[in-house]
């Protein structure tokens, strides 16, 4: 089954931001596009807005004036659903309300031909439930574009319970023909991206609620250490706190209030107060001409240690040993010890975040997982009230000697980046094991849909197959609510590897 022929007109019903974006994508790809909106005059307003965006593309030399004029000639504001009768595809992008979408689809089914592909751009509702009212639900599919649709490449092609394989294939090939990168997934709450992205927000908010650090510091650690494009607080301010919380709440409810997806009380209070982010001038941060930029906590200058003793290769943080040597700090190796830590001159230990807490040990400072220790510009450390001041000072001085800013958190098990990545990896393994999508499509979706520096399975391979399971297992022992309980899929993944390596 191939993509839709360019001679076949397509329609978009619902002319908000997403509807206009999808229409523009189809129009630029070469289709005749018909816009319809139940509100009188709204379809023409949308057509005019799309025309204005095409003008801007011409101004930026991204489209020729001739192509713009030709595209405008293919765009039509429909006055009734009846004008969509000969369309080969109709995408609905109306309100995220199940009854509204179902009523529209019933009406469309009475208008279009039997071979017309019907699609929804829902981001939070069940594709199966929306299409359940159709006489022929087999031709109904989810096409989840990301905002802004003309710019972002990802499209989640969602098969409902009754979607025919041929319909899903047509939708997939059509998205690819439109210049998008489609990924195929089953109809599950949040699909791929909104399901697997929840820990990115949840763990940042949990660290804040536990008073481990302030929003600016957590965001800085996620960006400058974890390699994420934006921190969780600044990103939700950009999205809109109400929008982000609504998606989280929808996924949580759809999974029967699974504790792994529990919404944040701190975010709920933010929404209740009307502090929705950039659009209201205040969210986690303040915006406006007079607003002061919130700065992360950065430790004062400390003396670098005279040397360190390496016990083990530090696992995912093994690159640190070369960096320490390059900084002129001698590294003494203890070949008899098989641990994975650095011992500082004062006797304290510096350990990569493993899900345990500093307070459990006599004198330990934890450091966070970094995407790339050489390129990272900030490092987060975690210490308890029992940590010796000399140990913390030596740890700070060590990373400062490597050219890093240092943020000191409270006693935060799993730190920030490590527990976030571990949870994303776990949800990814669980999703693939349950047939939601392939590993390749999961990685593609998370890199393109939310700009993660690596896909979950890329992270898993880099960190070691048992890393995520081990850190989550330690976190689960300290928080037995189930939030950090490793999935059966992740357990099988780690255990099977151990068996092949001969571990009983």
């Amino acid at each position: 089954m191939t993509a839709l022929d360019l001679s076949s007109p397509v329609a978009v019903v619902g002319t908000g931001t997403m509807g206009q974006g999808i229409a523009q994508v189809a129009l630029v790809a070469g289709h005749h596009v018909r816009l319809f909106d139940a509100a009188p005059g709204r379809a023409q307003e949308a057509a005019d807005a799309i025309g204005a965006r095409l003008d801007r593309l011409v101004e930026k030399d991204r489209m020729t004036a001739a192509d713009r004029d030709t595209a405008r000639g293919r765009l039509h504001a429909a006055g009734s659903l009846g004008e969509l009768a000969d369309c080969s595809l109709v995408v609905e992008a109306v309100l995220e309300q199940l009854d509204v979408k179902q009523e529209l689809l019933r009406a469309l089914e009475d208008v279009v031909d039997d071979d017309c592909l019907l699609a929804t751009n829902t981001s939070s509702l069940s594709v199966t439930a929306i299409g359940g009212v159709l006489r022929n639900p087999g031709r109904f599919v989810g096409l989840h574009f990301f905002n802004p649709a003309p710019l972002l490449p990802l499209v989640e092609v969602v098969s409902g319970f009754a979607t025919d394989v041929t319909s899903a294939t047509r939708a997939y090939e059509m998205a690819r023909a439109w210049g998008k990168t489609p990924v195929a997934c089953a109809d599950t709450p949040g699909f791929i991206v909104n399901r697997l992205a929840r820990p990115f927000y949840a763990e940042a908010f949990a660290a804040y609620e536990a008073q481990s650090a302030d929003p600016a510091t957590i965001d800085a650690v996620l960006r400058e250490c974890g390699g994420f494009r934006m921190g969780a607080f600044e990103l939700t301010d950009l999205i809109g706190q109400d929008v982000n919380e609504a998606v989280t709440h929808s996924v949580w409810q759809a999974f029967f209030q699974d504790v792994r997806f529990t919404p944040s009380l701190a975010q709920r209070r933010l929404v209740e107060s009307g502090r929705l982010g950039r659009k209201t001038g205040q969210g986690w941060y303040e915006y406006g001409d007079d607003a002061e930029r919130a700065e992360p906590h950065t430790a004062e200058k400390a003396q670098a240690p005279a040397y360190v003793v390496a016990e083990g290769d530090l696992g995912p943080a093994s690159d640190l040993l070369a960096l320490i040597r390059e900084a002129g700090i001698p590294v003494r190796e203890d070949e008899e010890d098989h641990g994975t830590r650095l011992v500082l001159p004062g006797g304290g230990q510096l350990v990569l975040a493993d899900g345990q807490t500093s307070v459990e040990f006599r004198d330990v400072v934890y450091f966070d997982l970094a995407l790339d220790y050489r390129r990272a510009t900030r490092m987060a450390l975690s210490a308890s009230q029992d940590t010796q001041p000399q140990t913390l000072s030596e740890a700070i001085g060590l990373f400062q000697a490597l050219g890093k800013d240092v943020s000191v958190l409270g006693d935060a098990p799993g730190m920030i980046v490590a527990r976030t990545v571990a949870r994303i990896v776990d949800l990814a393994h669980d999703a693939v094991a349950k047939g939601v999508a392939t590993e390749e499509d999961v990685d593609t979706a998370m890199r393109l849909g939310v700009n993660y520096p690596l896909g979950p399975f890329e992270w898993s391979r880099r960190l070691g197959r048992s890393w995520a399971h081990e850190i989550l297992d330690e976190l689960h022992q300290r928080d037995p609510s189930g939030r950090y309980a490793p999935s059966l899929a992740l357990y099988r993944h780690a255990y099977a590897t151990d068996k092949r390596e001969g571990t009983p």
Side-chain angles (χ1 to χ4, degrees):
M1 182 66 67
T2 59
L4 303 178
D5 191 284
L6 289 179
S7 64
S8 302
V10 301
V12 178
V13 180
T15 58
T17 301
M18 286 305 303
Q20 290 183 32
I22 295 168
Q24 181 178 331
V25 171
L27 190 66
V28 171
H31 286 277
H32 287 265
V33 176
R34 295 173 190 166
L35 291 169
F36 176 76
D37 198 294
R42 192 73 59 81
Q44 186 58 55
E45 291 175 5
D48 294 340
I50 293 171
R53 284 198 289 273
L54 296 182
D55 288 339
R56 289 195 289 273
L57 291 178
V58 173
E59 293 170 2
K60 296 177 180 179
D61 292 327
R62 296 178 182 174
M63 173 180 270
T64 67
D67 287 343
R68 174 201 58 195
D69 295 342
T70 302
R72 278 180 167 171
R74 296 194 303 268
L75 183 61
H76 173 69
S80 68
L81 285 180
E83 294 183 48
L84 315 184
D86 62 339
C87 289
S88 56
L89 166 69
V90 180
V91 182
E92 70 80 10
V94 298
L95 292 174
E96 283 287 275
Q97 294 179 9
L98 181 62
D99 58 342
V100 173
K101 292 179 182 293
Q102 289 178 328
E103 182 179 357
L104 169 63
L105 287 166
R106 279 194 293 259
L108 282 170
E109 199 168 34
D110 291 335
V111 171
V112 299
D113 292 338
D114 291 341
D115 61 351
C116 176
L117 188 65
L118 298 177
T120 176
N121 184 57
T122 187
S123 61
S124 61
L125 300 176
S126 164
V127 172
T128 302
I130 297 171
V133 298
L134 295 173
R135 295 189 300 273
N136 177 17
R139 63 166 164 177
F140 184 65
V141 66
L143 282 176
H144 182 213
F145 288 78
F146 288 74
N147 190 31
L151 297 180
L152 294 185
L154 185 69
V155 177
E156 292 177 318
V157 180
V158 186
S159 293
F161 187 78
T163 302
D164 292 336
V165 173
T166 54
S167 297
T169 302
R170 285 178 70 196
Y172 186 96
E173 294 300 331
M174 179 212 68
R176 186 156 61 180
W178 287 4
K180 296 301 181 181
T181 302
V183 292
C185 64
D187 184 20
T188 185
F191 310 140
I192 300 174
V193 173
N194 279 330
R195 174 175 177 161
L196 303 190
R198 290 359 286 165
F200 178 72
Y201 312 110
E203 293 310 310
F205 297 161
Y208 167 74
E209 290 172 348
Q211 300 186 47
S212 297
D214 59 276
T217 300
I218 295 170
D219 277 354
V221 172
L222 287 168
R223 290 192 315 268
E224 300 168 33
C225 180
F228 290 94
R229 187 73 59 86
M230 299 179 72
F233 296 91
E234 58 185 337
L235 180 56
T236 52
D237 266 359
L238 178 64
I239 295 170
Q241 298 301 331
D242 52 340
V243 175
N244 181 262
E245 194 214 23
V247 173
T248 298
H249 196 272
S250 174
V251 172
W252 176 61
Q253 290 283 21
F255 276 112
F256 307 105
Q257 300 186 358
D258 186 329
V259 68
R260 296 176 300 168
F261 302 101
T262 301
S264 163
L265 181 59
Q267 188 181 38
R268 175 91 292 261
R269 293 292 179 258
L270 206 63
V271 173
E272 289 173 340
S273 69
R275 300 179 178 185
L276 307 182
R278 288 182 177 273
K279 61 187 176 184
T280 60
Q282 188 171 16
W284 296 111
Y285 302 109
E286 293 186 3
Y287 301 92
D289 295 338
D290 298 329
E292 293 186 9
R293 178 181 173 84
E295 296 295 336
H297 166 75
T298 302
E300 297 292 332
K301 184 68 176 177
Q303 182 69 39
Y307 66 90
V308 296
V309 178
E311 297 182 348
D313 63 3
L314 300 188
S318 59
D319 287 349
L320 279 177
L321 297 178
L323 295 178
I324 293 170
R325 291 188 177 97
E326 291 170 15
I329 300 173
V331 177
R332 304 173 184 175
E333 297 189 17
D334 187 344
E335 297 179 357
E336 295 184 2
D337 197 297
H338 299 289
T340 54
R341 56 186 174 266
L342 294 174
V343 180
L344 300 166
Q349 298 179 15
L350 188 57
V351 182
L352 176 63
D354 59 7
Q356 301 183 79
T357 65
S358 300
V359 76
E360 298 174 53
F361 304 98
R362 185 184 65 83
D363 197 13
V364 166
V365 172
Y366 280 103
F367 65 95
D368 210 344
L369 178 72
L371 175 69
D372 183 332
Y373 283 96
R374 183 173 293 277
R375 298 176 61 184
T377 58
R378 182 176 298 272
M379 185 54 56
L381 303 180
S382 174
S384 74
Q385 66 270 22
D386 296 328
T387 303
Q388 295 298 316
Q390 180 182 352
T391 299
L392 181 57
S393 178
E394 289 175 341
I396 292 171
L398 175 64
F399 283 106
Q400 288 176 339
L402 306 186
K404 319 296 183 188
D405 289 328
V406 176
S407 293
V408 179
L409 315 181
D411 188 20
M415 304 291 291
I416 304 296
V417 179
R419 78 189 200 193
T420 298
V421 171
R423 287 204 58 211
I424 291 170
V425 168
D426 180 50
L427 290 184
H429 278 279
D430 184 52
V432 169
K434 291 176 178 174
V436 174
T438 65
E439 291 186 8
E440 181 181 3
D441 277 355
V442 164
D443 278 355
T444 298
M446 301 311 290
R447 282 189 286 101
L448 298 184
V450 278
N451 284 317
Y452 283 3
L454 293 174
F457 291 97
E458 292 174 310
W459 252 315
S460 185
R461 288 188 291 272
R462 175 185 287 197
L463 296 170
R465 292 170 63 100
S466 63
W467 177 85
H469 180 271
E470 290 172 357
I471 193 170
L472 289 176
D473 190 50
E474 293 288 357
L475 284 164
H476 179 56
Q477 292 181 42
R478 288 150 184 81
D479 177 5
S481 65
R483 178 188 183 98
Y484 300 104
S487 67
L488 180 58
L490 190 65
Y491 172 81
R492 285 171 171 157
H493 181 74
Y495 183 72
T497 301
D498 287 343
K499 291 293 284 186
R500 284 196 298 272
E501 295 172 354
T503 301

